[in-house]
Structure formats: structure tokens, C-alpha cells
Amino acid sequence: MGLGATTVKHVLLLLNFVFSVLGLALIAFGIFFLISAAENAVSIGENVAGGLIIGLGVVILIIAIFGCLAAIHEAPVRLLIYVIAVVLLILSQLLFLSMASHGTKDGISGSINEGFDRLWQLERNETGALGFYESWLQCCGVNSSEDYWIIHHGIPSSCCVDNKCLDQPYRVFKPGCKAEFVKYLDDKLLVFKIVCWLLVIGEAVGAVFGWLLYSSVKNQSRRNNAVWM
């Protein structure tokens, strides 16, 4: 193989090493998500996000290791499989980024909506179901404090500053808990989104270099066959 092909091979190995490290970082971040959810008694959306992040990290790690082995052995079939796998991985990450941005009904956003709908049904039957979120996020009701007026419930103390309403409207938290929780989750996912976009760009470059190495190996094989003939 010529110098150009050798350079392509080295760049591809370097890229996959970086992908392996970032895959491990995503797995660690997903585990942190799950631990944080358990410690804070928060299960709405966070468990779903944590599980998906861990799964994505595992897939990236496996593909990166496979890519390294394919490049080392200069195996054309493995290189082709690697390129196809990376393209599919990019598409799945773009879908995941959309889910992380609450863009799909069945993704993380759907989990949050279902979680708060379930909590509100409990709140209608027994006051206090939303108390943890109201005190923690400084919010009131699912959408606003008017939710309690609609179901003819008094505003609970968890909706107020220092848990003391004192019949003073300005002490009642204005935003709803669902919107505040979405903001909290978005802030927590910001680092993941940045890493994921960097991975998408890097993986696109990796797919190009993988295809270049595949083409080089195939051309070299054809030349060798021509010489034998």
C-alpha cells in the first residue's frame, strides 16, 4: 500500500480510538444519570434518557473496536460493514438528538408527559403527589398554579416560598412543574448533546476514511490479481 493509504489507515485508527474513549464517556454519563435519578427520587424521563445514553455508548464502543480491527487487518468486507454501521449510527444519533430535544411524542418527551399525567391523577385523589417536584423545582401544579383552581383544590404549601403561602399570591411559584422539569433535563443533557454532535461530525469523517481505505484495499487487490494473471 502507498503512503496515502497508510496515512488513511492511521487516521482511521486514531478516529476510532477517540470514538472508543467518547463511547466510554457516554456510558459513564448514562450511569451518572441513573444514579442521580435514584438519589433525587426522580424517575420521570431521566431513567429513559440514562438508559438510552448507556445503550448508545455501548454501540459506539463496539463499532469503534470493530473499526480498529478492520483497519489493522485491512479487511475489505469488514471495512465495508464498518462504513455501513457508522452511517446507521449517525442516523440513530440524529434521531436520539431529536428525542433529547423533546421532539417526539414517543421519546423522552412522551415519558415526561406520561409521568406528570400520572402524578396529577394521584394529586387529584390525594394532595402531595407533586410536593417533591414543587419544592425542588420551585414550581406549582403541572402547568401552573391554576391547575389546583380547576380541580377545586387549595394551593399546597409546597407551591410557596419557604413552604409558607400566608395568603399572599406573590409567594406562590408561577411556572408549572412540567416546564421546569424539561428545563432541568435540557440543562443536564446539554453536555451530551455537544458530545453527540461532535461524534456525528467525527463519525462522518470516519465513514469517509473507512470508504477510502476500503477502496484502496480493493484496488490493491485488483492490481495483485492482475499481476498474477
Side-chain angles (χ1 to χ4, degrees):
M1 293 176 64
L3 178 61
T6 302
T7 302
V8 169
K9 177 180 177 180
H10 290 163
V11 171
L12 188 59
L13 287 171
L14 177 61
L15 283 171
N16 280 289
F17 173 75
V18 173
F19 296 157
S20 298
V21 173
L22 291 177
L24 289 172
L26 283 178
I27 293 171
F29 186 64
I31 293 172
F32 164 75
F33 238 80
L34 295 179
I35 293 175
S36 176
E39 289 179 348
N40 294 323
V42 179
S43 59
I44 298 176
E46 277 196 298
N47 286 337
V48 175
L52 289 174
I53 290 171
I54 291 173
L56 181 61
V58 170
V59 171
I60 290 173
L61 182 61
I62 292 172
I63 292 177
I65 293 173
F66 182 83
C68 285
L69 294 174
I72 290 171
H73 294 107
E74 298 175 11
V77 175
R78 294 181 189 177
L79 285 169
L80 183 58
I81 293 173
Y82 168 75
V83 171
I84 295 172
V86 169
V87 171
L88 293 176
L89 178 61
I90 291 173
L91 293 175
S92 67
Q93 283 176 261
L94 292 175
L95 176 62
F96 192 91
L97 283 166
S98 174
M99 292 172 63
S101 298
H102 311 284
T104 61
K105 176 66 178 175
D106 297 326
I108 300 172
S109 179
S111 176
I112 292 173
N113 289 333
E114 291 172 7
F116 276 101
D117 287 345
R118 186 169 60 251
L119 279 175
W120 187 243
Q121 288 301 319
L122 293 173
E123 182 71 34
R124 291 170 68 97
N125 297 325
E126 184 177 354
T127 301
L130 276 172
F132 170 78
Y133 294 93
E134 289 168 337
S135 299
W136 170 42
L137 297 171
Q138 297 189 341
C139 54
C140 191
V142 173
N143 300 301
S144 72
S145 59
E146 293 183 2
D147 289 345
Y148 288 103
W149 178 79
I150 293 173
I151 62 172
H152 307 292
H153 281 198
I155 294 177
S157 60
S158 55
C159 276
C160 303
V161 178
D162 297 328
N163 289 326
K164 297 177 181 178
C165 296
L166 304 177
D167 294 327
Q168 298 173 335
Y170 69 88
R171 295 183 64 88
V172 178
F173 301 130
K174 302 301 181 186
C177 290
K178 183 163 67 174
E180 290 301 296
F181 186 78
V182 168
K183 290 179 183 178
Y184 157 78
L185 202 56
D186 275 342
D187 290 342
K188 205 167 183 181
L189 284 170
L190 180 60
V191 174
F192 162 74
K193 291 176 185 177
I194 293 172
V195 171
C196 210
W197 276 115
L198 291 174
L199 273 168
V200 167
I201 296 171
E203 286 159 1
V205 175
V208 171
F209 276 89
W211 181 259
L212 290 175
L213 185 58
Y214 165 78
S215 300
S216 178
V217 171
K218 290 291 288 184
N219 290 336
Q220 184 65 39
S221 177
R222 291 193 191 98
R223 285 194 293 269
N224 292 340
N225 290 336
V227 169
W228 279 106
M229 291 178 66

